[in-house]
CSV table of all heavy atoms in Angstrom, one decimal:
chain,number,residue,atom,x,y,z
A,165,VAL,N,0.8,-1.2,0.0
A,165,VAL,CA,0.0,0.0,0.0
A,165,VAL,C,0.9,1.3,0.0
A,165,VAL,O,1.8,1.4,0.8
A,165,VAL,CB,-1.0,0.0,1.2
A,165,VAL,CG1,-1.7,1.3,1.3
A,165,VAL,CG2,-1.9,-1.2,1.1
A,166,ASN,N,0.6,2.1,-0.9
A,166,ASN,CA,1.3,3.4,-1.0
A,166,ASN,C,1.0,4.2,0.2
A,166,ASN,O,-0.1,4.3,0.8
A,166,ASN,CB,0.7,4.1,-2.3
A,166,ASN,CG,1.3,5.5,-2.4
A,166,ASN,OD1,0.9,6.4,-1.7
A,166,ASN,ND2,2.2,5.6,-3.4
A,167,ASN,N,2.1,4.9,0.7
A,167,ASN,CA,2.0,5.7,2.0
A,167,ASN,C,0.9,6.7,1.9
A,167,ASN,O,0.2,7.0,2.9
A,167,ASN,CB,3.3,6.2,2.4
A,167,ASN,CG,3.9,7.2,1.4
A,167,ASN,OD1,3.6,7.1,0.2
A,167,ASN,ND2,4.8,8.1,1.8
A,168,GLY,N,0.7,7.3,0.7
A,168,GLY,CA,-0.4,8.3,0.6
A,168,GLY,C,-1.8,7.8,0.7
A,168,GLY,O,-2.7,8.4,1.2
A,169,VAL,N,-1.9,6.5,0.3
A,169,VAL,CA,-3.2,5.8,0.4
A,169,VAL,C,-3.6,5.7,1.9
A,169,VAL,O,-4.8,5.8,2.3
A,169,VAL,CB,-3.2,4.5,-0.3
A,169,VAL,CG1,-4.5,3.7,0.0
A,169,VAL,CG2,-3.1,4.7,-1.8
A,170,TYR,N,-2.7,5.4,2.8
A,170,TYR,CA,-3.0,5.3,4.2
A,170,TYR,C,-3.7,6.6,4.7
A,170,TYR,O,-4.7,6.5,5.4
A,170,TYR,CB,-1.7,5.1,5.0
A,170,TYR,CG,-1.1,3.7,5.0
A,170,TYR,CD1,-0.2,3.3,4.0
A,170,TYR,CD2,-1.4,2.9,6.1
A,170,TYR,CE1,0.3,2.1,4.0
A,170,TYR,CE2,-0.8,1.6,6.1
A,170,TYR,CZ,0.0,1.2,5.1
A,170,TYR,OH,0.6,-0.1,5.1
A,171,LEU,N,-3.2,7.7,4.3
A,171,LEU,CA,-3.8,9.0,4.8
A,171,LEU,C,-5.2,9.2,4.2
A,171,LEU,O,-6.1,9.6,4.9
A,171,LEU,CB,-2.9,10.2,4.4
A,171,LEU,CG,-1.4,10.1,4.9
A,171,LEU,CD1,-0.7,11.3,4.5
A,171,LEU,CD2,-1.4,10.0,6.4
A,172,SER,N,-5.4,8.8,3.0
A,172,SER,CA,-6.7,8.9,2.3
A,172,SER,C,-7.7,8.0,3.0
A,172,SER,O,-8.9,8.3,3.2
A,172,SER,CB,-6.6,8.6,0.8
A,172,SER,OG,-5.9,9.6,0.2
A,173,LEU,N,-7.3,6.8,3.3
A,173,LEU,CA,-8.2,5.8,4.0
A,173,LEU,C,-8.5,6.3,5.4
A,173,LEU,O,-9.6,6.1,5.9
A,173,LEU,CB,-7.5,4.4,4.1
A,173,LEU,CG,-7.4,3.7,2.7
A,173,LEU,CD1,-6.6,2.4,2.9
A,173,LEU,CD2,-8.7,3.5,2.1
A,174,MET,N,-7.6,7.0,6.1
A,174,MET,CA,-7.8,7.6,7.4
A,174,MET,C,-9.0,8.6,7.3
A,174,MET,O,-9.8,8.7,8.2
A,174,MET,CB,-6.6,8.2,8.0
A,174,MET,CG,-5.6,7.2,8.4
A,174,MET,SD,-3.9,7.8,8.7
A,174,MET,CE,-4.2,9.4,9.5
A,175,ASP,N,-9.0,9.4,6.2
A,175,ASP,CA,-10.1,10.4,6.0
A,175,ASP,C,-11.4,9.7,6.0
A,175,ASP,O,-12.4,10.1,6.6
A,175,ASP,CB,-9.9,11.1,4.6
A,175,ASP,CG,-8.8,12.1,4.6
A,175,ASP,OD1,-8.3,12.5,5.7
A,175,ASP,OD2,-8.4,12.5,3.5
A,176,ILE,N,-11.5,8.6,5.2
A,176,ILE,CA,-12.8,7.8,5.2
A,176,ILE,C,-13.2,7.3,6.5
A,176,ILE,O,-14.3,7.3,6.9
A,176,ILE,CB,-12.6,6.7,4.1
A,176,ILE,CG1,-12.5,7.3,2.7
A,176,ILE,CG2,-13.9,5.8,4.2
A,176,ILE,CD1,-12.1,6.3,1.6
A,177,ALA,N,-12.2,6.8,7.3
A,177,ALA,CA,-12.5,6.2,8.6
A,177,ALA,C,-13.0,7.3,9.6
A,177,ALA,O,-13.9,7.1,10.4
A,177,ALA,CB,-11.3,5.6,9.2
A,178,ARG,N,-12.5,8.6,9.4
A,178,ARG,CA,-13.0,9.7,10.2
A,178,ARG,C,-14.4,10.1,9.8
A,178,ARG,O,-15.2,10.4,10.7
A,178,ARG,CB,-12.0,10.9,10.2
A,178,ARG,CG,-10.7,10.6,10.9
A,178,ARG,CD,-9.9,11.9,11.0
A,178,ARG,NE,-9.6,12.5,9.8
A,178,ARG,CZ,-8.5,12.2,9.0
A,178,ARG,NH1,-7.7,11.3,9.4
A,178,ARG,NH2,-8.3,12.9,7.9
A,179,VAL,N,-14.7,10.0,8.6
A,179,VAL,CA,-16.1,10.3,8.1
A,179,VAL,C,-17.0,9.2,8.7
A,179,VAL,O,-18.1,9.5,9.1
A,179,VAL,CB,-16.1,10.3,6.6
A,179,VAL,CG1,-17.6,10.3,6.1
A,179,VAL,CG2,-15.4,11.6,6.0
A,180,ASP,N,-16.5,7.9,8.7
A,180,ASP,CA,-17.3,6.8,9.3
A,180,ASP,C,-17.6,7.1,10.7
A,180,ASP,O,-18.8,6.9,11.2
A,180,ASP,CB,-16.6,5.5,9.1
A,180,ASP,CG,-17.4,4.3,9.5
A,180,ASP,OD1,-18.6,4.3,9.2
A,180,ASP,OD2,-16.9,3.3,10.0
A,181,LEU,N,-16.7,7.6,11.5
A,181,LEU,CA,-16.9,8.0,12.9
A,181,LEU,C,-18.0,9.1,13.0
A,181,LEU,O,-18.9,8.9,13.8
A,181,LEU,CB,-15.6,8.5,13.6
A,181,LEU,CG,-15.7,9.1,14.9
A,181,LEU,CD1,-16.3,8.1,16.0
A,181,LEU,CD2,-14.4,9.7,15.4
A,182,ILE,N,-17.9,10.1,12.2
A,182,ILE,CA,-18.9,11.2,12.2
A,182,ILE,C,-20.3,10.7,11.9
A,182,ILE,O,-21.2,11.0,12.6
A,182,ILE,CB,-18.4,12.3,11.2
A,182,ILE,CG1,-17.2,13.0,11.8
A,182,ILE,CG2,-19.6,13.3,11.0
A,182,ILE,CD1,-16.5,14.0,10.8
A,183,TYR,N,-20.4,9.8,10.9
A,183,TYR,CA,-21.7,9.3,10.5
A,183,TYR,C,-22.2,8.4,11.6
A,183,TYR,O,-23.4,8.6,12.1
A,183,TYR,CB,-21.6,8.4,9.2
A,183,TYR,CG,-21.9,9.1,7.9
A,183,TYR,CD1,-20.9,9.2,7.0
A,183,TYR,CD2,-23.1,9.7,7.7
A,183,TYR,CE1,-21.2,9.9,5.8
A,183,TYR,CE2,-23.4,10.4,6.5
A,183,TYR,CZ,-22.4,10.4,5.5
A,183,TYR,OH,-22.7,11.1,4.4
A,184,ARG,N,-21.4,7.4,12.1
A,184,ARG,CA,-21.9,6.4,13.0
A,184,ARG,C,-22.2,7.0,14.4
A,184,ARG,O,-22.9,6.4,15.2
A,184,ARG,CB,-21.0,5.2,13.0
A,184,ARG,CG,-21.1,4.4,11.7
A,184,ARG,CD,-20.1,3.4,11.5
A,184,ARG,NE,-20.1,2.4,12.6
A,184,ARG,CZ,-19.1,1.5,12.8
A,184,ARG,NH1,-18.0,1.6,12.0
A,184,ARG,NH2,-19.1,0.7,13.7
A,185,ALA,N,-21.5,8.1,14.7
A,185,ALA,CA,-21.8,8.8,16.0
A,185,ALA,C,-23.0,9.7,15.9
A,185,ALA,O,-23.4,10.3,16.9
A,185,ALA,CB,-20.6,9.6,16.4
A,186,GLY,N,-23.6,9.8,14.7
A,186,GLY,CA,-24.9,10.6,14.6
A,186,GLY,C,-24.6,12.1,14.5
A,186,GLY,O,-25.5,12.9,14.7
A,187,LEU,N,-23.4,12.4,14.1
A,187,LEU,CA,-23.0,13.8,14.0
A,187,LEU,C,-23.1,14.5,12.7
A,187,LEU,O,-23.1,15.7,12.6
A,187,LEU,CB,-21.6,14.0,14.5
A,187,LEU,CG,-21.4,13.7,16.0
A,187,LEU,CD1,-19.9,13.7,16.3
A,187,LEU,CD2,-22.1,14.6,16.9
A,188,MET,N,-23.2,13.7,11.6
A,188,MET,CA,-23.2,14.3,10.2
A,188,MET,C,-24.3,15.3,10.0
A,188,MET,O,-24.1,16.4,9.6
A,188,MET,CB,-23.2,13.2,9.2
A,188,MET,CG,-23.0,13.8,7.8
A,188,MET,SD,-21.4,14.5,7.6
A,188,MET,CE,-20.3,13.1,7.4
A,189,GLY,N,-25.5,15.0,10.4
A,189,GLY,CA,-26.6,15.9,10.2
A,189,GLY,C,-26.5,17.2,11.1
A,189,GLY,O,-26.8,18.3,10.6
A,190,LYS,N,-26.0,17.0,12.3
A,190,LYS,CA,-25.8,18.1,13.2
A,190,LYS,C,-24.8,19.1,12.7
A,190,LYS,O,-24.9,20.3,12.8
A,190,LYS,CB,-25.4,17.7,14.6
A,190,LYS,CG,-26.5,16.9,15.3
A,190,LYS,CD,-26.0,16.4,16.7
A,190,LYS,CE,-27.1,15.5,17.4
A,190,LYS,NZ,-26.6,15.0,18.7
A,191,LEU,N,-23.7,18.5,12.2
A,191,LEU,CA,-22.6,19.3,11.6
A,191,LEU,C,-23.1,20.1,10.4
A,191,LEU,O,-22.8,21.3,10.2
A,191,LEU,CB,-21.4,18.5,11.3
A,191,LEU,CG,-20.7,17.8,12.5
A,191,LEU,CD1,-19.6,16.9,12.0
A,191,LEU,CD2,-20.1,18.9,13.4
A,192,ALA,N,-23.8,19.4,9.5
A,192,ALA,CA,-24.3,20.0,8.2
A,192,ALA,C,-25.3,21.1,8.5
A,192,ALA,O,-25.2,22.1,7.9
A,192,ALA,CB,-24.9,18.9,7.4
A,193,ALA,N,-26.1,20.9,9.5
A,193,ALA,CA,-27.1,21.9,9.9
A,193,ALA,C,-26.4,23.2,10.3
A,193,ALA,O,-26.9,24.3,10.1
A,193,ALA,CB,-28.0,21.4,11.0
A,194,ARG,N,-25.3,23.1,10.9
A,194,ARG,CA,-24.5,24.3,11.4
A,194,ARG,C,-23.5,24.8,10.4
A,194,ARG,O,-22.8,25.7,10.7
A,194,ARG,CB,-23.9,23.9,12.8
A,194,ARG,CG,-24.9,23.9,13.9
A,194,ARG,CD,-24.3,23.2,15.1
A,194,ARG,NE,-25.3,23.1,16.1
A,194,ARG,CZ,-26.3,22.2,16.2
A,194,ARG,NH1,-26.5,21.4,15.2
A,194,ARG,NH2,-27.1,22.2,17.2
A,195,ARG,N,-23.3,24.0,9.3
A,195,ARG,CA,-22.4,24.3,8.3
A,195,ARG,C,-20.9,24.2,8.8
A,195,ARG,O,-20.0,24.9,8.4
A,195,ARG,CB,-22.6,25.7,7.7
A,195,ARG,CG,-24.0,25.8,7.0
A,195,ARG,CD,-24.3,27.1,6.5
A,195,ARG,NE,-23.2,27.7,5.8
A,195,ARG,CZ,-23.3,28.1,4.5
A,195,ARG,NH1,-24.3,27.9,3.8
A,195,ARG,NH2,-22.2,28.6,3.9
A,196,TRP,N,-20.7,23.2,9.7
A,196,TRP,CA,-19.4,22.9,10.2
A,196,TRP,C,-18.8,21.8,9.5
A,196,TRP,O,-19.5,20.8,9.1
A,196,TRP,CB,-19.5,22.5,11.7
A,196,TRP,CG,-20.0,23.6,12.7
A,196,TRP,CD1,-20.3,24.9,12.4
A,196,TRP,CD2,-20.2,23.4,14.1
A,196,TRP,NE1,-20.8,25.5,13.5
A,196,TRP,CE2,-20.7,24.6,14.6
A,196,TRP,CE3,-20.1,22.3,14.9
A,196,TRP,CZ2,-21.0,24.8,15.9
A,196,TRP,CZ3,-20.4,22.5,16.3
A,196,TRP,CH2,-20.9,23.7,16.7
A,197,TYR,N,-17.5,21.9,9.2
A,197,TYR,CA,-16.8,20.8,8.5
A,197,TYR,C,-15.4,20.6,9.1
A,197,TYR,O,-14.8,21.6,9.5
A,197,TYR,CB,-16.8,21.0,7.0
A,197,TYR,CG,-16.0,22.2,6.6
A,197,TYR,CD1,-14.7,22.1,6.1
A,197,TYR,CD2,-16.6,23.5,6.6
A,197,TYR,CE1,-14.0,23.2,5.7
A,197,TYR,CE2,-15.9,24.6,6.2
A,197,TYR,CZ,-14.6,24.5,5.8
A,197,TYR,OH,-13.9,25.6,5.4
A,198,PRO,N,-14.9,19.4,9.0
A,198,PRO,CA,-13.5,19.2,9.6
A,198,PRO,C,-12.4,19.3,8.5
A,198,PRO,O,-12.6,19.1,7.3
A,198,PRO,CB,-13.6,17.7,10.0
A,198,PRO,CG,-14.6,17.1,9.0
A,198,PRO,CD,-15.6,18.2,8.7
A,199,VAL,N,-11.3,19.8,9.0
A,199,VAL,CA,-10.1,19.8,8.2
A,199,VAL,C,-8.9,19.3,9.0
A,199,VAL,O,-8.8,19.5,10.2
A,199,VAL,CB,-9.7,21.3,7.7
A,199,VAL,CG1,-10.8,21.8,6.7
A,199,VAL,CG2,-9.5,22.2,8.8
A,200,VAL,N,-8.0,18.6,8.3
A,200,VAL,CA,-6.8,18.1,9.0
A,200,VAL,C,-5.8,19.2,9.0
A,200,VAL,O,-5.5,19.8,7.9
A,200,VAL,CB,-6.3,16.8,8.3
A,200,VAL,CG1,-4.9,16.5,8.8
A,200,VAL,CG2,-7.2,15.7,8.5
A,201,VAL,N,-5.2,19.5,10.1
A,201,VAL,CA,-4.1,20.6,10.1
A,201,VAL,C,-2.7,20.0,10.4
A,201,VAL,O,-1.7,20.6,10.1
A,201,VAL,CB,-4.4,21.7,11.2
A,201,VAL,CG1,-5.7,22.5,10.8
A,201,VAL,CG2,-4.6,21.1,12.6
A,202,ALA,N,-2.7,18.7,10.9
A,202,ALA,CA,-1.4,18.1,11.0
A,202,ALA,C,-1.7,16.6,11.2
A,202,ALA,O,-2.7,16.2,11.8
A,202,ALA,CB,-0.6,18.6,12.2
A,203,GLU,N,-0.8,15.7,10.7
A,203,GLU,CA,-0.8,14.3,11.0
A,203,GLU,C,0.5,13.7,10.9
A,203,GLU,O,1.4,14.2,10.1
A,203,GLU,CB,-1.9,13.6,10.1
A,203,GLU,CG,-1.6,13.8,8.6
A,203,GLU,CD,-2.8,13.3,7.8
A,203,GLU,OE1,-3.7,12.6,8.3
A,203,GLU,OE2,-2.9,13.7,6.6
A,204,THR,N,0.7,12.6,11.6
A,204,THR,CA,1.9,11.9,11.5
A,204,THR,C,1.6,10.4,11.6
A,204,THR,O,0.6,10.1,12.3
A,204,THR,CB,2.9,12.3,12.7
A,204,THR,OG1,4.2,11.6,12.5
A,204,THR,CG2,2.4,11.9,14.0
A,205,ILE,N,2.3,9.6,10.9
A,205,ILE,CA,2.0,8.2,10.9
A,205,ILE,C,3.3,7.4,11.1
A,205,ILE,O,4.4,7.8,10.5
A,205,ILE,CB,1.2,7.8,9.6
A,205,ILE,CG1,0.8,6.3,9.7
A,205,ILE,CG2,2.0,8.1,8.4
A,205,ILE,CD1,-0.3,5.9,8.7
A,206,GLN,N,3.2,6.3,11.8
A,206,GLN,CA,4.4,5.3,11.9
A,206,GLN,C,4.0,4.0,11.4
A,206,GLN,O,2.9,3.5,11.7
A,206,GLN,CB,4.7,5.2,13.4
A,206,GLN,CG,5.2,6.4,14.1
A,206,GLN,CD,5.3,6.3,15.6
A,206,GLN,OE1,4.4,5.8,16.2
A,206,GLN,NE2,6.5,6.6,16.1
A,207,PHE,N,4.8,3.5,10.5
A,207,PHE,CA,4.5,2.2,9.8
A,207,PHE,C,5.3,1.1,10.5
A,207,PHE,O,6.5,1.3,10.7
A,207,PHE,CB,4.9,2.3,8.3
A,207,PHE,CG,4.1,3.4,7.6
A,207,PHE,CD1,4.8,4.6,7.3
A,207,PHE,CD2,2.8,3.2,7.2
A,207,PHE,CE1,4.1,5.5,6.6
A,207,PHE,CE2,2.2,4.1,6.5
A,207,PHE,CZ,2.8,5.3,6.2
A,208,ARG,N,4.7,0.0,10.8
A,208,ARG,CA,5.4,-1.1,11.4
A,208,ARG,C,5.6,-2.2,10.5
A,208,ARG,O,6.6,-2.9,10.4
A,208,ARG,CB,4.7,-1.6,12.7
A,208,ARG,CG,4.7,-0.5,13.8
A,208,ARG,CD,4.0,-1.0,15.0
A,208,ARG,NE,4.1,-0.1,16.1
A,208,ARG,CZ,3.3,0.9,16.3
A,208,ARG,NH1,2.3,1.2,15.6
A,208,ARG,NH2,3.5,1.8,17.4
A,209,LYS,N,4.6,-2.5,9.7
A,209,LYS,CA,4.6,-3.5,8.7
A,209,LYS,C,3.8,-3.0,7.4
A,209,LYS,O,3.1,-2.0,7.5
A,209,LYS,CB,3.9,-4.8,9.2
A,209,LYS,CG,4.7,-5.4,10.3
A,209,LYS,CD,4.2,-6.8,10.7
A,209,LYS,CE,5.1,-7.4,11.8
A,209,LYS,NZ,4.7,-8.7,12.1
A,210,SER,N,3.9,-3.8,6.4
A,210,SER,CA,3.2,-3.4,5.1
A,210,SER,C,1.8,-4.1,5.0
A,210,SER,O,1.7,-5.2,5.5
A,210,SER,CB,4.0,-3.8,3.9
A,210,SER,OG,5.2,-3.1,3.9
A,211,LEU,N,0.9,-3.5,4.3
A,211,LEU,CA,-0.3,-4.1,3.9
A,211,LEU,C,-0.1,-4.6,2.5
A,211,LEU,O,0.4,-3.9,1.6
A,211,LEU,CB,-1.5,-3.1,3.9
A,211,LEU,CG,-2.0,-2.8,5.3
A,211,LEU,CD1,-3.0,-1.6,5.2
A,211,LEU,CD2,-2.7,-4.0,6.0
A,212,GLN,N,-0.6,-5.8,2.2
A,212,GLN,CA,-0.4,-6.4,0.9
A,212,GLN,C,-1.8,-6.6,0.2
A,212,GLN,O,-2.8,-6.5,0.8
A,212,GLN,CB,0.2,-7.8,1.0
A,212,GLN,CG,1.5,-7.8,1.8
A,212,GLN,CD,2.7,-7.0,1.1
A,212,GLN,OE1,2.8,-7.0,-0.1
A,212,GLN,NE2,3.5,-6.4,1.9
């Protein structure tokens, strides 16, 4: 897996948290949206 793909998949997982926590509608109603301002990742093994 390309290292950039890890970061993109993390975006999807954060969206999943927002949806499954029941926050998406509340955020949309207030016109609030998330942005990543910093991230760091440590790789231990590869995904195949």
Side-chain angles (χ1 to χ4, degrees):
V165 174
N166 176 283
N167 59 336
V169 171
Y170 281 86
L171 302 180
S172 295
L173 292 173
M174 288 165 41
D175 287 342
I176 295 171
R178 289 190 302 274
V179 168
D180 191 35
L181 170 64
I182 291 169
Y183 268 120
R184 290 171 56 197
L187 295 173
M188 189 60 80
K190 294 176 183 180
L191 294 171
R194 287 164 181 77
R195 300 175 45 116
W196 296 357
Y197 64 98
V199 294
V200 169
V201 293
E203 57 192 340
T204 186
I205 187 166
Q206 296 171 310
F207 302 100
R208 292 180 175 89
K209 294 191 177 180
S210 296
L211 286 170
Q212 306 295 324

